[in-house]
Each structure stands twice: as C-alpha cells, then as structure tokens.
Amino acid sequence: MENTFYWIMEYGKVLLSYGLLMFVWPLTVFRGFLKGRGATFKFSFCVTVQVVIINTAVLMLGLLQILNAWTMRILFYGIFFYSIREWFKVTTERKNKFKYLVNGSFGFKNFVHLEVRKYVRKLEELLKPVWLQYKRNWQEYTLLVLIIVYGMIYFSWGAFQNTSYGFGDMYVHHAWTYGLTQGKIFSAGVYPEAMHCVIYSIHTLLGVKLFSCYLFMAGIHISIILVAAYCFLKEIFRWRFCAIFVLAVFLVLDVSCVDEVFSMSRLQWTLPQEYGFHTMYLCALYLMKYLLSEKTTKLKKRELEQCVDENLLIFVFSLAASIAIHFYVTIMAFFLCAAVAVCLWKRIFTKKHFLPLVAGVMVGVVVAAAPMLGALASGIPFQGSIGWAMNVINGTDTGEGRTHAIQAGNKTEEPIGSQNQLENPGLGSQTQDITDSNDLQQEPEEVNRSFISIVQKSWESVKKAVVKIYNLAKEKMQGVYKYGYEMLYTKARALWIVGVTCLVAVICVLYNLYYAYREIRDYSTDNRKMEYSRGYPMILLATLFYMIIYAGPYIKLPELIAGSRLCSTEHLLLIALFIILLDMGYTVLEKCLDERFLKHTVGVVTVALVAGVYVSGCYHGYLYYELTRYNAAVSVTNDVIETLPENTYTIVSTTDEIYQVIQDGRHEELHTFIKNQRKETYTLPTEYIFFFVEKQPIRYAHSHFFSGPEWLAKNKYENFYTGHSISVGENIDHSEISPEAAKQTIGYLGKPAQAYSVLANRTILESQMYEWCAAFEEAYPNEMKIYYEDEAFVCYYVQQNVQRLYELGLK
C-alpha cells in the first residue's frame, strides 16, 4: 500500500509538471496573442509551439555549450515572470498599503486578504471563459473528460502493476535524456530529440525524476493524442459528437493480431514516435482549416504579420514539431495530409493558398532541422537509428522490418504484375513504311487500308496496356486485402471493413453528385454542406493509404514505416470510417428532430456503443510490458535513494537499476562484480553496498500481460502469442537459482548487459551472486544483512568504513 501511494504521488508530480510546462507557461507568456482564440486553437498552440520552443532552446543552448540547470531556469523562469511583471507592479495604492502596514495603521491580515483577493479575481477572470465554454457544451466536454480519464487509466495501468520500463528502447531514450543533464546534446548522435528535451525540461525546471517521467509520461500524454484526434475528427463529421463516439469505441474495441497488440502497447511506453502522434492529427486538421478558410486571419496589425493565416501558423508548427520528435511521425502526417490534399486539391493550387503553403512547409522544415544541422556541422554524426530506418525502407533490417524476410521467402516468384511483353511493331517502322517512296505511289484504297491497320494495331496496344494496368492494380489491391485487412483483422472483420469502405465510397460519390446537381439547378451552392461532404473521403483515403503502407513489403513496395507502428492509428481511422454511417444518420435526424434533443442522446448512444462492444465479446484486453525486473527491485532502489545521502552507496545488480540510480548513487554491473570478485584485490568505495539477487531469475524482456478488473479490460491478447515466452499477472516467467548453476560459466560477451538477456546465463550469474553472499557472510559474520526478501528476490547490504574497505575478492 505504501509503494502504491508513492507511485501515485510520482504520477501526480509528472502530471502536474507536464501541465505547468506545456499549458500554463505558453498560455501565460502568449496570453496577448491567444486572447479571444478558441479552445481548439489554444490547445493546438500549446502542444505544438511549446514543443518547438523547448526543443530549439535546449538544443541551441547545447550547441553554445551553455546547457545546464541554471541557464534553463534563467531562460524559462525569466521569460515567465517577465511576462507577468505587471501583476506585481508597485502601484500608488499598493505603496500606500505598505506605508500604512509599516506604520501599524493597517492590519497585516487585512493586507494579506486584500492581496489574495486581488489575485483570486485575476484567476477568476482567466477561468471565466473556460467555464462559459464548458457550460455551452457540457454534454460533449463531460463525455470527453470521462473518455480521457478512462484512456489514461487503461494506458497507465501497466506502470502501476510493473513499475519498471516496459520496452528496451526506453532505456536508450533515458540515457540520451541523461546526456542532456550533463550538458551534452545528441550524446549518441544526431536524432530528433524533442521528446527528450521536454522530459529534460520537466526534470530540470520542476525537479521530477527522470525515471518517473519515463515511467508515466506515455499514460499521461495519451490524453493529448486523444484530444488531438478529437479536434481533427470533429471537423470531419457533420455532427461533431461523432468524434466522441470514435474515441469511445477506439478505447474499448479489441484488436485481432500480434502487430496490433504491439502497436497499442507502444502507446503506454514513453517513445518518441507515439509521443508525436498528436502532431499528425493537427497537421491534417489545420491544413484542412487553412484550405477551407474563406479569408486570411491576421495575427497582428503590423505589416510583416498581415499575410500570415493562423491556421497555416499551427500547421507549420505541427509539421516542425513532428520532425523534431520523430521522422516516422512526419511520414505518417504526410499521408494523412495527402488524404486531405486529394479531396481539396483545387484549393491548394490557387494563388491564395499555394505559395504561402509551400513557404510554410519550408519554414517548418528549417525550424525543426536547424539544431540538427548545427550539430552535424559541429562534427556530431547521425545516430544509428537513422541507418536502421533506412534499412527498414530498403528491406535489409532484420528486426521490425519485414521486406527482407518476405523477399527471401519468395525468391523464385515473379514480381507482382510482371509478364512477358508481346513484341509489337514500333510506330517508327510503321512511319518509315508509310513514308517510303514506293508507298507514295500506292492507290488511295491501299493507303486507307494501311492507315486502318495502324489504327487497329494502336488500339490493340492501348487495350493491352489498359488490361495490363488493370491486372496490375487488381493484383496489388488483392495483395493489400490479403496482407493488410486479412492479416490485421479476421476474415469476417476484413469483409466488414472492405464492405463499409465501398459503401462509404458510393455514398460520397452520390452525395457530391446530388449537391453538384443542386448547384446547377439553383445556380448557388451550400458551402457548408459541400465542404463537409469532402470530410468523409479524407478518412476513407487515409485508411487506404495506411493499409497500403502496411502491406507494402508484400506487394513489392518500399516499407516506408515498420508496419506494426501504424496499427493503432489505422485502428482509430477505421472506427471513424464506420462512424461515418452514424454521422449520416444524425444528418437525416437533424431535419426531423430538435437539435437540443439530439444533444441529449449523446450520452445514451456512447453508453450503448460501449455496452454493445462489451456484450458482443469484442471488449479489449490488457496490454503487456517486456518485463525486465521485479517490482521489489524497483521499490528497494527507490527506498535506498530516498533514505541515504547521494553517492554514499553502490547497488550491485543487473543493468536496469543504473537508469534509476545514476543521478543519486553508484552502480556496479552484476556481471562485472562476479568477474572481479575472483581477483585478489577488489573493493567498492562507498559506505553502503547493496547486492540484488533474483532467487527466481526472470526471463529477460518476455511479454508480461497485466491483469485487473473486467470493467477495465479482459485477459485475451496472450492467446495470440503462441510460441512466445509470456506470463500473466503475478505468474512471472522465471527459472530457479541453484548450487549446480553457480558452478557453471558463461561465455564471453561484448557487453555485461548481454549476459542477462539469456535465461541460462542470468541463472548462472544470479546463482553465483547468491553463493558469493553466503561466502561473504561466512567470512565476515554479522556484517552481511538482509534489507528486503521475498520468494523471488532478496537484497543484502553491508556497511563499511570507507577508510578500511572490505575486501570483496574471496577467491
């Protein structure tokens, strides 16, 4: 219970700090510019512009080699307090109050009361527009808040069940963020570091532990992704409440294969790509709003700013933020924006929109890339992940990339659509025959027959080309269906999805033909209806684009993105595709029923959708972590950090603890300790030494599924993982230490961390550590004490005189 309370407090710290940095700071500093703007614009500004500001500030300070806690605090706190300087301005009234207070003619309590009331009134003025906005749309916002809270619980559940990092990449990103605390940007090479800069800023400016930030950030940031998707979808649908339905179904509907489970699980791990998902939706949203805007909105009255549209501004910063966070997000945003661009292509190629849009894209790229280019110019090379991403595209990656494996298994197959071409006489030879001197003397009938023959042959060539293109397209689409829809979903679901896709396509065509007919008949157009009719094809095209990207390796196309990373976004868009039918139904009902009555049905429909999913057996399951250590190891490490002074202790354990303890104490690798204890002289210089021993060595990074109440999720996804090492709930996959295992040896490994990923090696090392502790206790009676012990894990410790260190080499 005590540990649960501790983690709840840490979660609260991360949540509060994230809100202060990402919302309170920009809303206060830019309150003049944001005054009078809508809630959607303010939200979008905070989660895009603020990311770019933090990324640019941190990396530029690093390039200037002045990145440290003090420069960050001076910069961000200085700007913040300068922006609110008028709140503390010493007015004549305040001077008189101070004067009377000093003279004793004004009570101290009365003085404090008046000052507090003044700031309370200011706070009320700031919150009044928020309350009025909520009051006007209370049904919508209440449901949205409930959905967000549920999403945060679902995606944070694992962080409370298993209080360690759920994916190996999180350790890497923690190390890169730790590099920022040492003043080193791009410590492992040039790589988009916006997420690392945000977490570093939370840690530096507000004092939250890096470990807590990485443990809980994803479960908190999912709220930003959901709100961004909501903002995008409410502009797509004719009836804005349908966006609520999409989010509700997305959070409760199950998925059907390993790739989808992996993609949904990534949303609970603090990783750059998923951290940047909100920028993808905002890019598409503000591109659409910019192209549909009838007039340009001015930012200020100054001449330089009169040509800038506020929608274009957020689009540019969303693009810049996506590049600064992760290149994969930019690729995903491109295809979502491509769906918007296809539907609004006429508006793109206008004098009003085209040149500002091109200029905006260039500015966004330059703003995001400038710090990275500066680092490259200073001699810092690209990080290895850049090469990995290129290997995925060219098909040589052996991890998440699938192209190489598919091609290796189909070496003897003909490429899709490849056929032996028929030999046809070229037009050049025909022309030569016609213009030959002998042909000039032919009779008119012979000339006509030659001309007809040419036309016939040309027609045959055109028909063959058309048939070939048709067959190729058909084969590709069959591949997309087989290796996309069927692979990600069951056959039954795939048929439903394709059926609804075709139905929506037909309805969109009929919808646009109807309003085109009305425009011709009435010589006028209903702009609102015409613009909303374009929203449905955007969702339809986006689902097709992402599905083609996923199936790309199977249909001889480049794998632009590792396929499994697309699934969560595709899942949401496909749900939106189905909700289009509900949106059309509400469009019809609007003509028959009062709009206020329809608003009151939103809660009922949302509950009905969720209940329908639950009753049908399609309710989602619990996700998983790639488990690397026991909760006891995390708790003991935290307790040591909180109890003992900095750098007075050393923890001897596997690699995982180093990320938790690195800023407070010392860490010694278990593999290194076992090797060095065989030496004649081996000491550790701190007063306290803690020895972590797994009595039941854990199978490193196996898929561990959570458990919990059925209202939150069900135990079902582990059934997909046949042939994989998995565990569920409290039943963790492990081995047992033994004296026999302690006598064995492991082979040479390049890094100590590699010794723990193989269960046999881990068992040997943990057994040897346990035997060493027993031998040390025998050599130094009453010196070795137990700090914590349960059936799976034990922590020993010794306290030594730093002037007379214990000899740890017992052999």
Side-chain angles (χ1 to χ4, degrees):
M1 187 64 183
E2 184 179 347
N3 286 334
T4 302
F5 179 75
Y6 172 83
W7 292 119
I8 290 174
M9 292 299 295
E10 288 297 298
Y11 186 89
K13 289 178 184 178
V14 179
L15 177 61
L16 178 61
S17 301
Y18 186 77
L20 290 174
L21 181 64
M22 296 301 297
F23 291 97
V24 174
W25 195 93
L27 287 174
T28 302
V29 173
F30 298 101
R31 64 187 180 280
F33 167 67
L34 295 173
K35 187 176 182 180
R37 310 283 181 181
T40 300
F41 184 89
K42 289 179 180 177
F43 165 79
S44 305
F45 182 92
C46 290
V47 298
T48 57
V49 176
Q50 182 69 345
V51 169
V52 175
I53 289 174
I54 293 172
N55 179 71
T56 304
V58 172
L59 296 183
M60 285 302 180
L61 288 174
L63 286 174
L64 296 173
Q65 297 185 357
I66 55 172
L67 178 63
N68 56 61
W70 282 108
T71 54
M72 284 290 294
R73 290 165 187 163
I74 290 170
L75 180 63
F76 280 89
Y77 284 131
I79 292 174
F80 180 81
F81 286 114
Y82 180 80
S83 68
I84 60 172
R85 63 192 183 281
E86 66 273 10
W87 295 2
F88 305 98
K89 189 176 181 180
V90 181
T91 61
T92 304
E93 179 185 0
R94 186 168 286 177
K95 284 181 181 179
N96 291 332
K97 287 180 182 178
F98 275 115
K99 179 180 177 182
Y100 296 145
L101 179 65
V102 173
N103 292 336
S105 58
F106 198 79
F108 179 76
K109 290 184 178 180
N110 192 31
F111 174 78
V112 173
H113 171 72
L114 292 175
E115 288 296 311
V116 170
R117 190 173 67 175
K118 181 182 294 186
Y119 290 110
V120 169
R121 285 177 178 174
K122 287 183 180 292
L123 184 61
E124 288 176 351
E125 291 177 5
L126 292 174
L127 295 179
K128 187 177 180 180
V130 177
W131 169 247
L132 292 176
Q133 181 79 5
Y134 173 79
K135 193 175 179 180
R136 285 194 295 269
N137 304 279
W138 69 270
Q139 302 104 322
E140 180 181 1
Y141 291 153
T142 300
L143 284 172
L144 182 61
V145 169
L146 291 175
I147 288 170
I148 289 172
V149 170
Y150 177 85
M152 292 174 69
I153 294 173
Y154 178 66
F155 287 104
S156 299
W157 188 257
F160 287 95
Q161 275 219 341
N162 301 109
T163 50
S164 56
Y165 292 165
F167 194 59
D169 287 0
M170 293 176 65
Y171 294 104
V172 176
H173 295 299
H174 183 130
W176 296 352
T177 309
Y178 175 73
L180 294 176
T181 66
Q182 305 302 301
K184 299 176 183 178
I185 61 171
F186 305 119
S187 56
V190 175
Y191 181 92
E193 279 206 331
M195 184 194 79
H196 311 90
C197 292
V198 170
I199 293 177
Y200 163 73
S201 299
I202 291 174
H203 168 70
T204 302
L205 299 174
L206 299 164
V208 183
K209 296 177 181 177
L210 288 182
F211 182 81
S212 297
C213 287
Y214 272 97
L215 186 63
F216 295 120
M217 180 64 76
I220 292 169
H221 185 71
I222 189 66
S223 62
I224 306 301
I225 299 172
L226 292 174
V227 173
Y230 161 79
C231 293
F232 170 65
L233 291 172
K234 76 176 182 179
E235 292 295 326
I236 293 290
F237 294 119
R238 170 79 182 265
W239 206 58
R240 58 187 289 160
F241 289 97
C242 286
I244 296 288
F245 302 151
V246 174
L247 297 185
V249 176
F250 171 73
L251 288 178
V252 299
L253 185 65
D254 65 356
V255 292
S256 308
C257 74
V258 172
D259 275 355
E260 288 188 302
V261 176
F262 174 69
S263 187
M264 294 296 286
S265 294
R266 286 181 64 93
L267 293 175
Q268 61 178 348
W269 305 329
T270 305
L271 301 171
Q273 181 182 346
E274 282 65 29
Y275 182 84
F277 271 1
H278 67 286
T279 63
M280 169 180 59
Y281 296 114
L282 295 179
C283 275
L285 168 63
Y286 282 93
L287 176 62
M288 178 171 56
K289 289 169 74 75
Y290 170 67
L291 295 176
L292 292 176
S293 62
E294 295 298 329
K295 61 181 180 179
T296 302
T297 304
K298 311 299 188 300
L299 294 177
K300 297 286 183 182
K301 293 183 178 180
R302 294 195 294 269
E303 292 184 6
L304 182 63
E305 298 172 335
Q306 285 182 349
C307 61
V308 181
D309 184 281
E310 64 177 10
N311 296 316
L312 180 61
L313 177 74
I314 301 300
F315 169 76
V316 170
F317 275 103
S318 298
L319 174 63
S322 72
I323 297 172
I325 294 171
H326 199 284
F327 296 147
Y328 267 3
V329 180
T330 308
I331 297 174
M332 294 176 70
F334 171 81
F335 283 100
L336 192 56
C337 290
V340 175
V342 169
C343 296
L344 300 174
W345 65 273
K346 286 185 179 179
R347 289 179 173 266
I348 291 178
F349 297 103
T350 61
K351 183 179 179 181
K352 172 187 171 184
H353 291 119
F354 183 71
L355 290 179
L357 184 60
V358 172
V361 170
M362 294 175 63
V363 169
V365 172
V366 170
V367 168
M372 290 184 271
L373 293 175
L376 290 171
S378 67
I380 303 175
F382 274 116
Q383 200 274 333
S385 294
I386 305 298
W388 168 83
M390 295 305 299
N391 290 339
V392 169
I393 294 174
N394 63 36
T396 59
D397 175 63
T398 57
E400 290 183 56
R402 300 164 296 163
T403 306
H404 181 69
I406 294 167
Q407 291 176 347
N410 296 279
K411 287 182 179 178
T412 58
E413 293 184 6
E414 288 288 328
I416 291 180
S418 65
Q419 298 178 0
N420 293 327
Q421 297 185 0
L422 298 174
E423 294 183 0
N424 294 309
L427 289 178
S429 61
Q430 290 286 352
T431 306
Q432 187 177 359
D433 292 340
I434 294 172
T435 57
D436 190 85
S437 59
N438 294 328
D439 291 337
L440 294 175
Q441 299 176 4
Q442 291 178 348
E443 294 295 327
E445 292 182 4
E446 294 178 357
V447 173
N448 288 337
R449 282 197 296 269
S450 299
F451 178 74
I452 292 172
S453 175
I454 295 170
V455 171
Q456 289 176 339
K457 291 179 179 179
S458 299
W459 175 245
E460 290 296 325
S461 298
V462 170
K463 284 201 301 184
K464 288 177 181 178
V466 170
V467 170
K468 184 178 179 180
I469 293 172
Y470 169 78
N471 289 334
L472 180 62
K474 180 181 177 182
E475 199 165 0
K476 296 284 187 184
M477 292 312 297
Q478 287 176 340
V480 171
Y481 177 77
K482 180 178 179 181
Y483 298 110
Y485 292 100
E486 278 196 1
M487 185 174 288
L488 286 177
Y489 300 92
T490 60
K491 272 192 175 181
R493 288 193 184 187
L495 288 173
W496 271 102
I497 292 169
V498 172
V500 170
T501 300
C502 295
L503 178 60
V504 170
V506 171
I507 291 174
C508 288
V509 171
L510 296 177
Y511 196 72
N512 282 278
L513 288 175
Y514 169 70
Y515 282 105
Y517 165 73
R518 281 191 56 182
E519 182 179 357
I520 295 171
R521 187 190 67 181
D522 301 334
Y523 300 101
S524 64
T525 179
D526 186 342
N527 287 327
R528 184 171 179 269
K529 295 182 186 297
M530 286 293 290
E531 302 306 351
Y532 272 92
S533 69
R534 294 189 178 102
Y536 301 156
M538 292 176 190
I539 296 295
L540 190 149
L541 287 174
T543 60
L544 286 176
F545 289 161
Y546 284 141
M547 197 61 75
I548 291 171
I549 295 171
Y550 179 84
Y554 297 95
I555 58 175
K556 313 303 181 188
L557 293 177
E559 188 172 13
L560 296 176
I561 301 174
S564 57
R565 301 191 180 199
L566 290 166
C567 296
S568 59
T569 303
E570 176 74 340
H571 188 55
L572 186 143
L573 293 174
L574 286 173
I575 292 170
L577 190 69
F578 276 76
I579 298 297
I580 284 175
L581 302 179
L582 187 59
D583 187 56
M584 291 177 176
Y586 268 107
T587 302
V588 174
L589 289 176
E590 270 187 331
K591 300 182 181 299
C592 311
L593 301 174
D594 184 64
E595 185 178 356
R596 287 175 297 179
F597 171 77
L598 290 177
K599 280 186 178 181
H600 291 300
T601 66
V602 178
V604 176
V605 174
T606 304
V607 172
L609 286 171
V610 174
V613 170
Y614 189 89
V615 172
S616 66
C618 297
Y619 199 62
H620 64 183
Y622 281 103
L623 302 173
Y624 73 93
Y625 267 15
E626 291 186 356
L627 200 60
T628 57
R629 56 178 174 157
Y630 290 103
N631 285 346
V634 184
S635 298
V636 169
T637 305
N638 269 333
D639 192 56
V640 170
I641 292 172
E642 297 291 335
T643 305
L644 299 178
E646 290 185 7
N647 298 317
T648 60
Y649 55 88
T650 299
I651 292 178
V652 179
S653 70
T654 56
T655 305
D656 302 80
E657 275 71 38
I658 190 174
Y659 298 94
Q660 192 175 351
V661 79
I662 190 169
Q663 292 180 290
D664 301 284
R666 295 186 73 256
H667 180 267
E668 185 82 349
E669 286 285 349
L670 173 61
H671 179 267
T672 303
F673 183 89
I674 294 297
K675 183 177 65 175
N676 289 341
Q677 61 90 20
R678 297 187 179 96
K679 299 178 180 178
E680 292 184 2
T681 300
Y682 177 46
T683 58
L684 292 175
T686 55
E687 181 180 356
Y688 295 91
I689 307 176
F690 294 86
F691 305 94
F692 286 15
V693 182
E694 294 176 1
K695 295 190 290 184
Q696 296 176 351
I698 200 168
R699 186 181 294 277
Y700 188 82
H702 73 276
S703 300
H704 180 74
F705 287 87
F706 315 129
S707 61
E710 284 203 357
W711 63 263
L712 183 61
K714 295 186 176 182
N715 296 323
K716 61 191 307 183
Y717 292 153
E718 61 269 20
N719 299 327
F720 299 149
Y721 285 70
T722 56
H724 293 260
S725 297
I726 65 167
S727 60
V728 181
E730 296 181 359
N731 301 316
I732 296 174
D733 191 7
H734 65 272
S735 63
E736 298 282 347
I737 61 172
S738 66
E740 293 76 20
K743 296 175 183 178
Q744 300 177 25
T745 58
I746 62 174
Y748 172 78
L749 296 167
K751 296 180 180 179
Q754 295 175 346
Y756 319 128
S757 59
V758 179
L759 185 58
N761 288 341
R762 193 181 187 96
T763 304
I764 293 170
L765 291 173
E766 297 288 357
S767 299
Q768 291 175 348
M769 187 73 248
Y770 188 82
E771 293 294 322
W772 182 92
C773 290
F776 185 89
E777 187 174 12
E778 184 179 349
Y780 299 93
N782 302 321
E783 295 301 316
M784 178 75 76
K785 297 180 178 63
I786 294 178
Y787 190 85
Y788 173 88
E789 185 175 17
D790 59 30
E791 62 180 6
F793 172 83
V794 60
C795 173
Y796 299 102
Y797 80 99
V798 296
Q799 183 178 4
Q800 60 180 349
N801 185 344
V802 293
Q803 304 299 324
R804 297 177 61 85
L805 300 175
Y806 283 123
E807 181 57 61
L808 303 177
L810 300 180
K811 293 185 180 180

